[in-house]
Amino acid sequence: MFQIENLGEAKFKSPLQLSTVRGDNIFNFVDDQDRLVYDLSLEAYNHCLANNKEPNCLEKAGPRQNLYFEPNTITAAIVTCGGLCPGINNVIRGVVMALHYFYGVKQILGVPYGYEGLNPEMGHNFVELTPDSVKDIHQFGGTILGSSRGAQDVGVMVDTLAANNINILFTIGGDGTLKGCNAIGEEIEKRGLDISVVGIPKTIDNDIDIIDRSFGFETSFDIAGNVLRDAHNEASGAYNGISIVKVMGRDSGFIAASAALAMPVVNFVLVPEMDFQLEGKTGFLEALRQRLETKKHAVIVVAEGAGQHLFQKDEIRKDASGNIQHDDIGIFLKDKIKDHFKEIFPITVKYIDPSYIVRSAAANSSDSVFCSGLAYMAVHGAMAGKTKFVVGRVNNKLVYLPISAVTQKRKKIDLESEFWFAVLQSTGQPFTL
């Protein structure tokens, strides 16, 4: 299930002066047989024991003693795709520094504006990346390479990689980007080319399956938490004041839920995973009325993909990445709340949408550390000839995973989980709406 593909036998000795023995106080090379159990539950252990089966294991990330690529002869490239996210520049910097200083790779190219940059017809030229050119970029949000959404012809992109003698392509992006990376890898395999493709999962929604979290997510709910604090000030500063804060979360509500836990002034969290109802005795509007009668103010945080079942949809619209375009639940809620309370009692509603401010911010300290670790481990895996893999943290350990394993479905909040129960305890909202 979690087998990582390799381009071939690793024949070159690593330039890293690491150890192979325990106890000498020097970090050890990681062997491909160093694997970590995926399911840590006693139930899974007993099942494997009873059926005489090996458990599903993950390949531990880290530097290998032998490399597939001869470092001073190769060219690496980096591409960033999809929406912005805190930490992209940190990852770019980490990859460049690791290639240059750890392995002595001389030629590192930046692919401008996402996968468009691998299509010559778009007219974007590669940029050279050096330690000097990237040394300060971690201080800024966004991506110095630019980004774009939408697919390009896989054959054309592989032609571009081959024509420019690129040996390793690092792709930084979310679900669609990773699927594109895997498709590039499959085309490379069909042609018998020696090119490694690597995914570094990026999405503030934290919806990449299997991995604990994606980079940028923690910064996002950190910043959103500060917005919620101010929204609470607005709500509590008015009689029957209501603040509605809409955050990103197309299919998963991790930002909304985590921000509410980080800044526990929120009274309602509405996420895509729940099919809440507006009307009725157990509906959201009735719960909001009870809250206002008791406390005279309320703070609501809603993920952008929540409540889509409440809209009349004549057709399904998709963006350039193939994602379903949602109707604006924030404006919808604001209008519905105003209409509902018009004949009950006066209210004051403030609507705040910080989405693009959140996603374009620079990474916080925790995410910055995480981004560097992901970048370094991605480089180690690529230099060893591994391909069509992502680096991610699972059970709090950095591992390599096949791209195909993490793109089968989106990770969502389990409404029966301890995490969601913690949200309900923090907000005091009913178990069902």
Side-chain angles (χ1 to χ4, degrees), residues 328-340:
D328 195 325
I329 184 63
I331 298 295
F332 178 84
L333 274 181
K334 183 186 73 170
D335 292 342
K336 287 292 184 182
I337 289 170
K338 284 184 174 180
D339 288 344
H340 179 78

Side-chain angles (χ1 to χ4, degrees), residues 119-167:
N119 182 353
E121 290 186 2
M122 303 304 294
H124 307 314
N125 296 318
F126 291 153
V127 296
E128 186 174 355
L129 299 175
T130 65
D132 279 346
S133 69
V134 302
K135 62 184 174 70
D136 296 322
I137 64 173
H138 60 289
Q139 300 179 50
F140 306 99
T143 165
I144 63 162
L145 296 177
S147 187
S148 68
R149 294 188 183 274
Q152 299 293 323
D153 185 275
V154 173
V156 170
M157 290 193 288
V158 174
D159 287 343
T160 301
L161 295 175
N164 289 274
N165 298 312
I166 293 171
N167 306 98

Side-chain angles (χ1 to χ4, degrees), residues 308-315 327:
Q308 296 303 305
H309 59 287
L310 301 173
F311 293 92
Q312 296 279 337
K313 294 182 184 286
D314 297 325
E315 61 177 344
D327 290 290

Side-chain angles (χ1 to χ4, degrees), residues 167-277:
N167 306 98
I168 303 173
L169 176 67
F170 295 94
T171 62
I172 304 170
D175 183 75
T177 303
L178 297 178
K179 287 178 179 176
C181 179
N182 206 53
I184 291 171
E186 289 176 352
E187 179 65 20
I188 287 169
E189 186 178 4
K190 286 179 186 177
R191 299 189 191 186
L193 301 174
D194 275 347
I195 304 175
S196 167
V197 292
V198 184
I200 303 175
K202 169 229 72 172
T203 166
I204 63 172
D205 289 355
N206 196 35
D207 59 358
I208 303 294
D209 197 29
I210 300 177
I211 65 174
D212 295 348
R213 66 181 174 97
S214 49
F215 79 81
F217 166 64
E218 187 169 308
T219 302
S220 298
F221 76 75
D222 187 7
I223 295 173
N226 292 331
V227 175
L228 294 179
R229 177 198 60 211
D230 297 339
H232 175 259
N233 294 337
E234 284 287 350
S236 60
Y239 184 73
N240 288 335
I242 301 170
S243 286
I244 304 169
V245 180
K246 187 181 79 170
V247 296
M248 287 189 166
R250 183 185 293 111
D251 300 299
S252 306
F254 288 104
I255 293 180
S258 298
L261 287 173
M263 186 59 64
V265 296
V266 177
N267 310 113
F268 297 95
V269 179
L270 306 176
V271 295
E273 291 85 348
M274 59 189 291
D275 289 334
F276 66 93
Q277 298 302 313

Side-chain angles (χ1 to χ4, degrees), residues 266-269 287 291 421-431 433:
V266 177
N267 310 113
F268 297 95
V269 179
R291 164 71 193 182
F421 181 49
V423 173
L424 298 181
Q425 291 178 103
S426 175
T427 61
Q429 75 185 59
F431 282 86
L433 288 173

